[in-house]
Amino acid sequence: MYTEKVMDHFQNPRNMGEIENPAGVGTVGNAKCGDIMRMYLDIDDAGIIQDVKFKTFGCGAAVATSSMATELVKGKSVEEAMQVTNKAVLEALDGLPPAKVHCSLLAEEAIHAALWDYAQKHHLVIEGLKEPKKDIHEDEEEE
């Protein structure tokens, strides 16, 4: 059973779309479920996320977690965005069924992948940020 917040973010996704000339873009996916998320970031010179958009191919939980993740990072600094975890996304949505928790992990990974792209383009090192997996079709370990 999905929470009201999950249903709201699925039926009325926030920040869906693309950003032209994004400061960073990250794409992640899970081969087992077929979900693919792409996150676009517009980051100003002070390191603040001015805008964020997403495109997700996947189930309702994948759309809802993408939407909530964008809400959680918009207006935040790069460092604050790094603190947005899958648990923060889960809590903000009032939870997900156990079989859909992997969607919140994808949302966290999409944020990090977009931040990695931003860091590479601007020759920055972001504390705690790791290079994303190269192949989005790799099988991931069960969490």
Side-chain angles (χ1 to χ4, degrees):
M1 185 74 191
Y2 291 111
T3 67
E4 257 181 63
K5 283 187 183 177
V6 171
M7 292 306 296
D8 182 42
H9 276 268
F10 168 63
Q11 293 171 335
N12 307 294
R14 280 58 147 192
N15 308 305
M16 191 161 50
E18 293 179 47
I19 294 175
E20 242 180 82
N21 303 315
V25 61
T27 303
V28 296
N30 182 316
K32 287 183 181 155
C33 66
D35 295 333
I36 298 174
M37 289 182 191
R38 180 168 290 156
M39 193 85 56
Y40 302 84
L41 300 175
D42 179 24
I43 302 171
D44 69 16
D45 292 338
I48 305 298
I49 298 170
Q50 294 297 317
D51 197 11
V52 54
K53 302 265 187 228
F54 78 93
K55 284 184 130 180
T56 293
F57 178 84
C59 66
V63 171
T65 56
S66 299
S67 174
M68 181 55 81
T70 64
E71 292 282 284
L72 293 174
V73 300
K74 196 171 193 175
K76 300 282 195 293
S77 69
V78 167
E79 292 75 22
E80 289 169 321
M82 278 294 298
Q83 304 308 309
V84 175
T85 63
N86 73 300
K87 287 178 176 52
V89 174
L90 281 174
E91 286 173 16
L93 288 170
D94 295 332
L96 284 171
K100 296 297 181 177
V101 169
H102 69 275
C103 293
S104 65
L105 288 166
L106 277 179
E108 177 185 334
E109 289 172 8
I111 293 166
H112 288 185
L115 288 170
W116 177 266
D117 183 52
Y118 163 74
Q120 294 298 295
K121 287 177 179 173
H122 293 85
H123 309 289
L124 301 171
V125 174
I126 300 172
E127 183 82 26
L129 188 60
K130 295 181 182 128
E131 185 173 5
K133 292 179 183 138
K134 292 284 185 219
D135 183 0
I136 62 169
H137 301 291
E138 284 178 19
D139 278 306
E140 294 181 348
E141 298 275 326
E142 285 295 315
E143 294 294 318

